Amino acid sequence: MTWQVIDTAGGVTAGWRHARQHRKHRAPEPQETLVTAYALARLQPTAAPHPDVATYIERIQETFEPFGGRFLVHGVTPERIEGEWEGDVVLVAFPDLAAAHAWYASPAYQEILPLRTAHLPGELIFLPGVPAGYDAATTAAALRAALPA
């Protein structure tokens, strides 16, 4: 599996995960170029719906709108093509990672978060998108350059 670093010039460097852990490549630098960020949740199936979850769903959108967030996917069961996957998916886009983090830490979201976590277990991750003009061939070239001779 590979990892990426989007540098401030908009270029991408890549290397093996173990190389990153051994500090053979530079650490990510703060981003100056804004790229869309995504909040991706995988919510585990439960035995029965709970009224608190309905309240959470009623109120969640108003918590991320002030941060520029919008639903891209909401509570669908994905079509599994490879690997194992259980649960439903929620995907929210934000203008950048700072907005995603600000939303999650906001008093409005923190107030409703226990309504979901107490009754609907899952995982949430933030993902930076790629900059405009991203070319996977550049990532492949950086990956090849990082391979042992």
Side-chain angles (χ1 to χ4, degrees):
M1 186 161 246
T2 62
W3 59 275
Q4 302 179 344
V5 175
I6 300 171
D7 66 25
T8 56
V12 177
T13 60
W16 294 103
R17 181 177 294 198
H18 73 276
R20 181 178 177 196
Q21 292 169 347
H22 294 295
R23 307 251 187 244
K24 291 182 182 177
H25 298 280
R26 66 185 176 95
E29 297 175 6
Q31 292 181 349
E32 293 176 12
T33 304
L34 297 181
V35 294
T36 302
Y38 302 93
L40 174 65
R42 180 176 69 158
L43 304 174
Q44 301 301 318
T46 58
H50 193 280
D52 284 352
V53 175
T55 301
Y56 172 86
I57 292 170
E58 290 168 347
R59 295 177 57 192
I60 188 169
Q61 189 166 331
E62 67 191 30
T63 69
F64 58 69
E65 284 177 343
F67 301 96
R70 66 183 182 88
F71 280 113
L72 298 178
V73 176
H74 190 205
V76 298
T77 301
E79 177 184 358
R80 184 171 46 92
I81 305 300
E82 294 182 15
E84 298 295 321
W85 190 282
E86 269 193 62
D88 292 342
V89 173
V90 176
L91 181 63
V92 178
F94 289 92
D96 55 36
L97 280 173
H101 283 282
W103 160 72
Y104 189 84
S106 71
Y109 186 65
Q110 289 300 306
E111 179 183 324
I112 68 167
L113 181 59
L115 298 174
R116 179 189 59 80
T117 57
H119 308 287
L120 189 58
E123 298 84 26
L124 173 68
I125 59 173
F126 290 155
L127 303 162
V130 296
Y134 170 80
D135 182 356
T138 303
T139 301
L143 177 62
R144 287 194 182 281
L147 294 172

